[in-house]
Amino acid sequence: MSHEPVVVVVEAETPGNVGTIARAMKNFGLSDLKLVDPPPLEPDGEAYGFAGHAREDVLPNADTVTFEEIVANYHTVGCTAITGEDSHRHRRFPYTTPAELAETLESIDSRTAIVFGREGRGLYNEEIEQLDQICSIPASNDYPVLNLGQAATIVLYELRDLTVDETQLPDREHERAEEESIERFYDYFETFLDAQNYNERKREKTQRLMRRLIGRSHPTGREIHTLLGVLRRATDQLDHRQELLEKYDESDRFGDDGAQASDDE
């Protein structure tokens, strides 16, 4: 995506929601906030209190615009909770989810505006009719309407791959353990089953289940090494217990001097 999306808030009633949206923009790499008929945004008021570090740039640099200006100059995406229409009525249909929106915007070479409406009433039908796309967050059918600030945060989060070059999270590239180590684990698992005298009829199935489990999990080298250590220790303990049992059985069969007890002792 060659152009950073702008975020548009239409007639927000609560300064705190404007501040929350500014903060979400800062979180997810956006900076251009445009407000249609906004409430008063005092520097020591609720909006700046909710904005976090966005009070330093996103919020004070927000532009006041008209709805008509946005429609005339941007590819527009209207965000709404109400999508109860079908292919015969196109005011709020078809729609995309925020995750799907990220995919569609990735290849668009155009300035895009993500448009959010009022807290209580959202975007009016006549406004929706002028927008190019509709986006809606999947939510409970019993109560699909989200708080304005929450809705904006969810949508901007889903767009993060288009707007954030690098996050604070460390690299989590997964390196699967070497097959030799994984096969060694399976061998030790078989030895572990031997040590506990596992049911022969169930052995083959159990080994196969373990192989499927490990195969799906793609363990790292460290993980498989740790599991090997656990199996070795458990197997050693089982072997030691078996040795003790054998010595105990032997002591029952022989006297203190090592000679087998006679029948009349």
Side-chain angles (χ1 to χ4, degrees):
M1 190 176 188
S2 57
H3 299 279
E4 175 191 312
V6 304
V7 175
V8 181
V9 186
V10 179
E11 295 184 2
E13 301 167 12
T14 307
N17 274 325
V18 178
T20 297
I21 292 172
R23 179 172 186 154
M25 292 174 62
K26 185 83 171 179
N27 288 145
F28 302 116
L30 296 166
S31 60
D32 197 346
L33 174 62
K34 299 190 181 300
L35 305 173
V36 176
D37 193 15
L41 304 177
E42 303 297 336
D44 58 350
E46 189 178 68
Y48 279 80
F50 280 52
H53 287 293
R55 72 170 70 90
E56 301 168 1
D57 44 22
V58 178
L59 193 54
N61 293 330
D63 296 323
T64 299
V65 297
T66 66
F67 187 82
E68 290 71 24
E69 287 179 287
I70 297 301
V71 171
N73 292 287
Y74 293 89
H75 170 78
T76 51
V77 180
C79 298
T80 176
I82 308 302
T83 58
E85 299 181 358
D86 55 28
S87 60
H88 299 290
R89 301 176 64 192
H90 291 277
R91 182 180 293 128
R92 299 173 186 265
F93 190 94
Y95 61 88
T96 61
T97 65
E100 293 167 340
L101 178 63
E103 295 180 5
T104 63
L105 293 183
E106 186 173 11
S107 59
I108 291 179
D109 186 17
S110 175
R111 296 195 301 170
T112 299
I114 312 299
V115 184
F116 298 94
R118 305 155 186 86
E119 284 91 338
R121 295 166 291 173
L123 294 167
Y124 296 147
N125 285 339
E126 54 267 28
E127 293 168 340
I128 287 285
E129 290 171 352
Q130 299 179 65
L131 303 180
D132 300 311
Q133 281 184 258
I134 300 300
C135 178
S136 187
I137 298 169
S140 169
N141 186 55
D142 294 334
Y143 190 40
V145 180
L146 281 77
N147 169 275
L148 174 59
Q150 292 175 325
T153 300
I154 292 171
V155 173
L156 300 184
Y157 165 77
E158 290 292 356
L159 297 181
R160 69 195 182 281
D161 286 344
L162 305 180
T163 59
V164 176
D165 293 328
E166 184 177 359
T167 73
Q168 87 285 7
L169 300 178
D171 183 17
R172 63 174 185 179
E173 182 178 351
H174 188 88
E175 295 184 3
R176 178 182 165 91
E178 295 181 358
E179 291 304 316
E180 181 180 355
S181 297
I182 294 176
E183 289 299 324
R184 190 181 305 118
F185 169 81
Y186 295 143
D187 291 341
Y188 267 95
F189 183 66
E190 183 177 3
T191 302
F192 172 70
L193 296 180
D194 288 338
Q196 60 174 296
N197 296 317
Y198 195 77
N199 189 317
E200 285 294 335
R201 292 184 295 105
K202 298 180 179 180
R203 176 187 292 264
E204 184 177 344
K205 181 178 180 180
T206 300
Q207 289 177 272
R208 185 167 61 251
L209 288 175
M210 177 60 73
R211 183 175 286 272
R212 296 291 181 267
L213 176 63
I214 295 297
R216 290 197 306 272
S217 65
H218 301 295
T220 63
R222 183 180 182 85
E223 288 169 338
I224 208 70
H225 178 76
T226 299
L227 290 175
L228 271 169
V230 171
L231 279 185
R232 285 171 177 164
R233 184 173 179 82
T235 301
D236 288 345
Q237 290 176 341
L238 287 171
D239 288 341
H240 180 63
R241 185 182 68 175
Q242 185 61 34
E243 291 175 1
L244 292 177
L245 288 174
E246 291 174 356
K247 288 181 179 180
Y248 178 80
D249 290 341
E250 185 177 351
S251 67
D252 277 351
R253 294 195 306 270
F254 292 88
D256 293 338
D257 61 356
Q260 187 170 6
S262 62
D263 292 339
D264 54 8
E265 282 184 337

